[in-house]
Amino acid sequence: MSETLTHLLDRSLSSGDPIVIDGALGTALESRGIDLDHELWSAGLLRDDPEAIAEVHRDYIRAGARIITTASYQATPLGFASLGLSPDEGRTLIARSVEVARAARADTDSATHSRTRAAADAGANPGAAEVLVAGSVGPYGAALGDGAEYTGDYSLTPAEFAEFHRPRIAALVDAGADLLAIETQPHLTEIEALCTLADEHSAPAWLSVTLADGEHLADGSPLTALAEVVSAHESIRAVGVNCVSPSLVAPALRALAGATALPLIAYPNSGEVYDARTMEWRTPEDSGRSPVHLGEEAPDDPGTGAGGGAGGDVAESADGAAADPGGGTTTFPIEDWARLGALLIGGCCRTGPADIAGIARRLTA
């Protein structure tokens, strides 16, 4: 596994230009009419239709993503066993998630690479010519299929967490992932076990979490405790949040920035709320407006004269005030997130290539 992530972050720190990461894999697949309603979610396609995954990876690269994440978020022993697959067959599929992403990177339109290489050479977006493959490592809670990754409502010992995650991490590293994306993590004990595993494999990684509020993990642990844990592990190169409401990003980044010198990461969901009972995403009840693309302005709301950002969440500026750049629109304040220390910015659930293209345009303007 290479040290390319470190080099990319160093260049981003020097230039002040954040790195654009991809958006949701499952959302993009479902938009193509693919049914993901089973235990392995998008990872099931590693066996049945890997080309569908590859096409989504290519779309994100064309949209401007410099890091793409593998279809291994829910590729776990529990899920594989439910399909009657052996541990060896499961490891083969996890490795395939890296192979598919690497192949998509290699065969993406050469003109796209030429344009990004020229931009990088001109200094417009350092690191733009490089596309990294991040091996996705979701939490134990994701395998339970009950939305526990948003609550942290489960408990294992550190040794049990390590036993659960070790085969996937080993398979991702051995298959040649450039880094690990340890993501959507709600549980501090599990996070410490995962950081230790990353160290064992000398695997550069980012660590991103879900939240109860702007200062606490989903399991209630303070973000200051998270910062203390990740700062003690040399493999963790960035820390932040993902699959949270955009309105929680700024306060969480402020809390983390005050507790760690690590670069920060932010890739929230569209602003919709996940209902663990119905297993559906819903617009918040206090808003009748639809979520907007993360990278774009919301259309004018004829009823209020204000844009309907992220299902009604009012975006915050760096000082905590509502961000409304005028013209009757509200945007997600990705520039403010960058000023708060976010060096990696993208999207999570309910976002797609169009959202990432919008983010890339704004961050490289």
Side-chain angles (χ1 to χ4, degrees):
M1 187 171 283
S2 73
E3 289 294 309
T4 310
L5 174 63
T6 300
H7 298 156
L8 199 58
L9 288 171
D10 286 345
R11 286 198 295 273
S12 183
L13 277 169
S14 298
S15 69
D17 295 323
I19 301 158
V20 179
I21 61 178
D22 63 5
L25 183 59
T27 299
L29 290 166
E30 288 177 330
S31 73
R32 291 161 163 79
I34 297 173
D35 182 10
L36 301 179
D37 187 18
H38 52 75
E39 290 84 351
L40 289 180
W41 198 35
S42 57
L45 295 177
L46 293 169
R47 181 187 64 176
D48 301 330
D49 190 2
E51 175 55 27
I53 296 172
E55 186 54 41
V56 173
H57 288 321
R58 289 191 285 266
D59 283 350
Y60 278 123
I61 295 171
R62 295 182 189 115
R66 301 279 61 85
I67 302 179
I68 56 174
T69 51
T70 61
S72 54
Y73 173 82
Q74 209 152 313
T76 66
L78 290 178
F80 290 136
S82 72
L83 296 182
L85 298 175
S86 70
D88 284 345
E89 289 171 322
R91 283 190 289 271
T92 296
L93 289 180
I94 293 169
R96 186 175 298 167
S97 74
V98 178
E99 294 161 4
V100 168
R102 286 166 60 95
R105 173 178 63 184
D107 63 17
T108 299
D109 182 4
S110 60
T112 299
H113 287 294
S114 296
R115 288 193 297 272
T116 56
R117 174 69 67 184
D121 291 344
N125 184 13
E130 299 183 54
V131 175
L132 304 186
V133 172
S136 175
V137 180
Y140 177 82
L144 301 178
D146 60 0
E149 61 263 58
Y150 303 107
T151 65
D153 188 17
Y154 54 89
S155 180
L156 296 177
T157 67
E160 288 170 333
F161 279 129
E163 181 180 2
F164 176 81
H165 288 292
R166 184 174 282 109
R168 174 169 45 179
I169 288 178
L172 291 169
V173 172
D174 291 346
D178 296 305
L179 65 140
L180 298 177
I182 304 173
E183 55 185 351
T184 327
Q185 299 293 328
H187 199 294
L188 191 61
T189 301
E190 182 174 18
I191 287 167
E192 187 151 21
L194 282 161
C195 292
T196 299
L197 287 173
D199 285 348
E200 287 178 5
H201 289 85
S202 300
W206 79 57
L207 190 291
S208 58
V209 302
T210 55
L211 299 171
D213 55 44
E215 296 183 347
H216 296 86
L217 286 169
D219 73 351
S221 301
L223 290 179
T224 51
L226 169 68
E228 183 177 351
V229 167
V230 297
S231 297
H233 293 272
E234 63 180 20
S235 291
I236 305 303
R237 308 297 166 81
V239 63
V241 297
N242 79 286
C243 213
V244 299
S245 169
S247 66
L248 291 178
V249 172
L253 292 179
R254 281 193 289 270
L256 288 168
T260 180
L262 285 170
L264 304 181
I265 182 168
Y267 53 117
N269 60 38
S270 67
E272 292 169 275
V273 176
Y274 185 71
D275 186 331
R277 293 181 302 102
T278 63
M279 310 294 281
E280 294 176 337
W281 290 90
R282 300 183 182 277
T283 301
E285 292 179 357
D286 61 351
S287 171
R289 295 171 290 188
S290 298
V292 298
H293 291 318
L294 281 173
E296 306 293 349
E297 293 184 343
D300 289 350
D301 183 332
T304 65
D313 286 320
V314 178
E316 289 187 325
S317 67
D319 62 3
D324 188 347
T329 63
T330 300
T331 62
F332 291 103
I334 55 178
E335 296 87 356
D336 289 340
W337 299 344
R339 283 190 287 271
L340 286 167
L343 285 189
L344 300 112
I345 298 176
C348 200
C349 288
R350 311 295 283 179
T351 69
D355 303 298
I356 299 309
I359 288 173
R361 282 193 294 272
R362 286 172 60 188
L363 291 180
T364 59

